[in-house]
Amino acid sequence: MSIRFAVLGIDHRHAFGMTEHLTAAGATCAGWWTDGAPNTEEGFRKRFPDLPRIADRETILSDPEIALVVIAAIPRDRAALAIEAMRAGKDVMVDKPGCTTLEQLAALRRVQAETGRIWSIDFSERFEVPSVTLATKLVEEGAIGRVVQTVGLGPHRLNRATRPAWFFEREAYGGILTDIASHQIDQFLHFTGSATAEIVHAAAENCAHPGDPGLQDFGEIALRSDRGRGYIRVDWFTPDALPTWGDGRLTILGTEGYIELRKYVDVGGRVGTDTLILVNGTRCEAIDARDAGLPYFARILADVRDRTETAMPQAHAFTVMELALKAQALAEGRA
């Protein structure tokens, strides 16, 4: 029997991919609710013309046939919606960042423990990128030895004219490290096999947008764990000539080689997304990884059904957000 899910909040376009990938994995969307009229609504309706907009989110929360709730509301509102959903007996897949304050995170941990529901974050820069799937396989097979460091770069295009007002409100999006850099923290923990880490350095600045004082357009983090080290750089400086929203890259350094992922574009000349570069003792090649698959979505549906943790360990989701929030606090002089 197909697992039914519904969407709470479409304020971020990540709602599109989350809905599409869950459907492709075999789930059935019962409909969507959102607050007000976000500027994503027209595009969401165009992408999913057969999905009904549900006027009252309580209709979703009280429906016993809906097992999973997808949340892509304004970041500051995601924790409250997730708590409401878990208390209503629903599992939750939330867009990153899963929350925007340590107080919200503490409440999420408490309610998840009380209810036993799943609270999973769709880190799209890992779970919606086939080259990361292949990199995971290669690392698990020992292709580059033991991972000792990751370098994660998350550049984004600002597209200022299309951004809603909340995008420029620090309290609404949580800060650049809480928001974007949570992706790279997730990948650091995943590829080094670290249960947690120490924030060695963190910075967040508004370098070039004085007219938008709430915007942080540059951020960086240095991480250290008992398994390795990591460096993260995120920004809103993608130039207009780049044919996509950002030249996202990940380099994974091992004791016997390295992997570089050129996730969304390769300005070196290769066509398409998901170029994986592998260099070790016997191989030096660029691999087209576009067909490597996106197992997260089928796995979370299996977890909903079987009460397992194959898509993402619950502790991992909490740890990523704790580190992101602590890095944000350190960068802003609050730690």
Side-chain angles (χ1 to χ4, degrees), residues 49-203:
D50 298 327
L51 296 184
R53 177 171 183 171
I54 298 170
D56 182 357
R57 70 174 182 270
E58 182 57 34
T59 301
I60 292 172
L61 297 175
S62 63
D63 186 343
E65 299 299 318
I66 295 174
L68 176 67
V69 165
V70 168
I71 298 174
I74 297 172
R76 68 179 170 215
D77 299 330
R78 292 174 187 173
L81 289 169
I83 287 170
E84 191 176 18
M86 286 190 286
R87 285 179 169 156
K90 314 299 183 189
D91 293 318
V92 172
M93 176 201 287
V94 63
D95 182 21
K96 67 81 213 162
C99 55
T100 56
T101 69
L102 285 167
E103 292 75 17
Q104 289 180 354
L105 180 61
L108 285 161
R109 279 180 155 139
R110 184 174 61 253
V111 172
Q112 190 280 323
E114 290 170 356
T115 62
R117 308 317 303 178
I118 295 168
W119 184 75
S120 187
I121 304 172
D122 175 16
F123 291 112
S124 57
E125 293 190 27
R126 174 157 69 107
F127 294 137
E128 298 188 30
V129 177
S131 58
V132 182
T133 303
L134 180 57
T136 296
K137 181 176 183 290
L138 290 168
V139 168
E140 290 174 347
E141 291 173 349
I144 59 171
R146 181 176 64 85
V147 174
V148 297
Q149 192 217 28
T150 65
V151 176
L153 306 180
H156 287 63
R157 178 175 287 130
L158 185 61
N159 286 331
R160 197 195 187 291
T162 66
R163 298 293 181 177
W166 64 261
F167 178 87
F168 300 95
E169 298 171 8
R170 160 62 183 82
E171 297 307 312
Y173 70 88
I176 193 170
L177 302 182
T178 297
D179 182 18
I180 303 177
S182 60
H183 282 300
Q184 284 72 34
I185 294 171
D186 162 68
Q187 290 166 83
F188 166 79
L189 295 177
H190 171 69
F191 281 108
T192 61
S194 301
T196 189
E198 174 190 359
I199 306 297
V200 178
H201 162 76

Side-chain angles (χ1 to χ4, degrees), residues 201-278:
H201 162 76
E205 301 176 17
N206 184 328
C207 298
H209 298 87
D212 299 304
L215 176 68
Q216 295 171 350
D217 55 24
F218 175 86
E220 64 179 358
I221 302 173
L223 295 160
R224 176 173 60 211
S225 78
D226 59 351
R227 303 294 298 273
R229 294 175 180 264
Y231 175 76
I232 294 165
R233 191 204 80 209
V234 292
D235 65 75
W236 288 102
F237 292 129
T238 292
D240 288 343
L242 195 78
T244 189
W245 55 266
D247 187 5
R249 299 192 185 192
L250 174 68
T251 300
I252 308 165
L253 176 65
T255 55
E256 299 174 24
Y258 66 88
I259 291 169
E260 182 186 346
L261 305 182
R262 300 184 180 185
K263 296 181 178 182
Y264 311 110
V265 66
D266 186 352
V267 296
R270 284 171 285 267
V271 176
T273 63
D274 293 287
T275 295
L276 184 150
I277 297 166
L278 170 64

